[in-house]
Amino acid sequence: MKVLGVAELTLLLIYLLRQHKKYGYFVFLNIRKLAFSFWLGAFGLYNLGISSLLQPDIPINILGFLIIGNFAVMAGMKTKTESRMEAVAEGVAGESFPGRYIKCVYFLLAGGILSFVLSFVNYGFTLFHQNKINRTELVLPYLYNSIVVCSIFLYYLFRTNGTFFRKGCRLLVFAISVFMLLCMLNRGNIIFIFTAVLILELFLYFSRTKKKYISLKGVVLVSAFLASAVFMFGVVGDMRFETVSREVYHMRYVELYGLSPEFPSGLGQLYMYLVSPLENMSHVLMEQEVTHYTFFCNLFYPGIKLIANLIGKGGVFSGWLSGQYEIYPYLQPRAGLNVMSFMADAYQDLGIAGIVVYLAFYDFILVAADKVLHSKMYGISKTIIYSFMIQIVLWGIFTNSVFRMGNLWVNIFFVFVMDTFVRCVHFSGKKIGGPKNAAGENSGHTGQP
């Protein structure tokens, strides 16, 4: 399968080079092309079989052709995604909005801080525990995860608005917010912020230069940004793994994952997190059998669970679904790798047909993301929501992210509500941001495309 892996990665490289020549760096922000590239790259890396734990086979690759083909069709459709991103990027740097938008963000941040304090008082935090594998319980978890939205918005204000003192204060609050998220050692939230910040920076770069191609200095900065993200991924992973390494496995991450001891820790963890779901699913196709389908109870789990809770049957439903679930990640007892991608829930729901249905929902999200870029929301709201929708689609390789990534969907809801409130409820008050006029005052330009 190594030849197939090389062919897939070669195809990916050719595709990205051609698309980059036409659209510049916006190709790396196009959610449709990202989905296609991500899955093609994941299967290419998987088929290389760098780890001794991986055994690529034909059935999983046939399924891979189905998934890659679906996203290839979506990526090949004629859309205005790039032009709409350019319009958003044009407006986001000089955008102005009522001061109550910032007040809404700080109000939400206050709720996140309250959740942080209550969680620390009641349970402590993973960062301060000797055992850093098991995550700490959270009080008001959705408020805690809303710190992600607030962090992104604070970074945006730091980059675009205010005096030197205000920018310094916002940067400090941004750093504190990120630290509060790090206390749980949850790499997902940090990745969500990194992704949104990267998209925002590319938008600001386009707004400032009107160039779709990054200079050599820009390439170096983006490379350094990505390298630091991989490094942080490795550092947090090593911290979480410390207890298990000391008490159970007695080896480093890379050795446990069947990689060379010289392999960089962050890169090794990233590689195995990306390809282990495919290996787990390969074992499902080859060795496991589903005798009782759950008929999309996994797909619509949040809604069904909510209704069941309302009638006092939430525990009964969860227990029934757990009892029906027959698929298991075979790499979990061997290396603690329990991730299985959206394919596991889909296959348990209705076999291969279930996977096709799940792909239809992902396609709907791709279409909806394009509509977000063309909406009447403020540019920063579009940027944040669009970055979250990218995450929902890409995280499909790790989990059933259609509806089960509740923290992202709730954060999208928070941004939508704040934006709608600010646009539709009018009070007198000064505008924040926007280009300056001759008197040095904000012009009130809306920045809408």
Side-chain angles (χ1 to χ4, degrees):
M1 291 295 176
K2 292 184 184 295
V3 175
L4 178 59
V6 172
E8 288 172 326
L9 293 176
T10 302
L11 175 62
L12 174 62
L13 180 61
I14 294 173
Y15 174 78
L16 290 177
L17 287 174
R18 287 183 174 179
Q19 292 294 313
H20 180 266
K21 185 177 180 180
K22 186 176 182 180
Y23 298 109
Y25 53 77
F26 280 104
V27 67
F28 300 107
L29 306 180
N30 186 316
I31 189 171
R32 297 170 183 247
K33 294 169 183 176
L34 270 177
F36 167 68
S37 301
F38 196 66
W39 279 95
L40 180 60
F43 270 94
L45 291 171
Y46 171 64
N47 285 320
L48 288 181
I50 296 175
S51 167
S52 60
L53 296 178
L54 306 179
Q55 299 175 351
D57 216 323
I58 294 175
I60 186 64
N61 276 288
I62 293 176
L63 192 55
F65 290 146
L66 171 65
I67 297 172
I68 294 168
N70 169 78
F71 289 123
V73 170
M74 296 299 294
M77 290 181 176
K78 290 185 178 180
T79 64
K80 297 180 180 179
T81 304
E82 280 82 5
S83 62
R84 287 173 177 173
M85 282 192 289
E86 289 181 21
V88 174
E90 284 275 9
V92 75
E95 188 170 53
S96 65
F97 39 82
R100 60 181 178 275
Y101 199 149
I102 297 180
K103 292 178 182 177
C104 287
V105 171
Y106 281 123
F107 181 77
L108 189 61
L109 179 61
I113 294 173
L114 175 65
S115 171
F116 174 85
V117 172
L118 291 176
S119 299
F120 179 74
V121 170
N122 285 278
Y123 306 108
F125 272 104
T126 311
L127 180 64
F128 309 121
H129 290 174
Q130 186 176 6
N131 181 349
K132 295 181 172 59
I133 287 290
N134 298 324
R135 290 201 180 104
T136 308
E137 292 288 332
L138 286 172
V139 178
L140 306 172
Y142 287 129
L143 280 180
Y144 176 83
N145 289 316
S146 72
I147 296 174
V148 172
V149 171
C150 303
S151 300
I152 297 168
F153 198 89
L154 286 167
Y155 182 85
Y156 165 71
L157 291 177
F158 158 71
R159 291 286 285 114
T160 58
N161 291 295
T163 62
F164 178 81
F165 176 75
R166 284 192 174 184
K167 285 188 174 184
C169 291
R170 287 163 180 167
L171 182 61
L172 177 62
V173 178
F174 168 77
I176 294 172
S177 300
V178 172
F179 173 76
M180 288 192 291
L181 295 171
L182 277 173
C183 284
M184 280 296 294
L185 296 182
N186 186 330
R187 286 170 288 191
N189 283 332
I190 304 303
I191 292 173
F192 300 154
I193 294 175
F194 266 106
T195 302
V197 166
L198 181 58
I199 293 174
L200 180 59
E201 283 294 343
L202 289 174
F203 279 1
L204 293 176
Y205 177 81
F206 179 80
S207 178
R208 184 173 63 253
T209 65
K210 304 300 183 290
K211 296 178 180 179
K212 293 190 292 184
Y213 302 92
I214 303 177
S215 63
L216 180 60
K217 178 182 177 181
V219 172
V220 172
L221 289 174
V222 171
S223 300
F225 184 85
L226 293 176
S228 64
V230 173
F231 176 76
M232 284 298 298
F233 190 88
V235 169
V236 174
D238 287 339
M239 290 176 66
R240 290 190 61 202
F241 186 68
E242 180 184 356
T243 303
V244 176
S245 175
R246 181 178 61 249
E247 298 180 0
V248 181
Y249 295 114
H250 309 292
M251 62 179 72
R252 295 173 60 238
Y253 248 136
V254 290
E255 297 171 292
L256 177 65
Y257 288 167
L259 299 166
S260 168
E262 291 77 28
F263 211 93
S265 180
L267 204 58
Q269 293 174 50
L270 202 60
Y271 174 77
M272 289 305 297
Y273 275 32
L274 186 62
V275 301
S276 63
L278 305 181
E279 178 62 23
N280 278 327
M281 194 61 203
S282 177
H283 188 268
V284 170
L285 297 174
M286 296 289 292
E287 305 292 340
Q288 300 179 38
E289 182 181 0
V290 176
T291 58
H292 298 92
Y293 291 132
T294 47
F295 299 104
F296 303 113
C297 287
N298 288 299
L299 177 62
F300 299 112
Y301 176 83
I304 298 174
K305 182 66 161 57
L306 176 62
I307 295 172
N309 286 338
L310 292 176
I311 61 176
K313 299 293 184 180
V316 174
F317 169 70
S318 297
W320 172 82
L321 188 61
S322 298
Q324 293 290 106
Y325 211 95
E326 300 170 282
I327 292 174
Y328 62 91
Y330 101 106
L331 284 181
Q332 183 172 11
R334 297 182 63 183
L337 295 166
N338 61 352
V339 182
M340 297 187 69
S341 86
F342 82 90
M343 292 183 284
D345 279 1
Y347 197 76
Q348 179 66 61
D349 275 345
L350 200 60
I352 299 298
I355 293 176
V356 173
V357 172
Y358 274 60
L359 285 174
F361 276 89
Y362 280 115
D363 292 344
F364 175 79
I365 295 173
L366 298 182
V367 175
D370 192 54
K371 299 298 182 183
V372 167
L373 292 175
H374 194 53
S375 69
K376 295 182 180 180
M377 290 188 290
Y378 289 103
I380 183 58
S381 301
K382 297 179 187 179
T383 303
I384 294 174
I385 292 177
Y386 185 74
S387 72
F388 287 164
M389 296 181 86
I390 287 177
Q391 294 293 326
I392 289 170
V393 172
L394 296 189
W395 277 71
I397 200 168
F398 305 114
T399 186
N400 170 14
S401 59
V402 178
F403 296 122
R404 282 208 173 192
M405 291 194 74
N407 55 336
L408 282 181
W409 284 114
V410 171
N411 280 343
I412 288 174
F413 175 75
F414 283 150
V415 175
F416 176 78
V417 169
M418 288 191 297
D419 186 279
T420 302
F421 172 76
V422 171
R423 283 187 297 107
C424 299
V425 180
H426 300 286
F427 300 103
S428 60
K430 71 174 184 177
K431 294 275 187 176
I432 304 297
K436 305 276 186 173
N437 58 25
E441 299 172 340
N442 290 327
S443 65
H445 172 60
T446 62
Q448 294 297 307

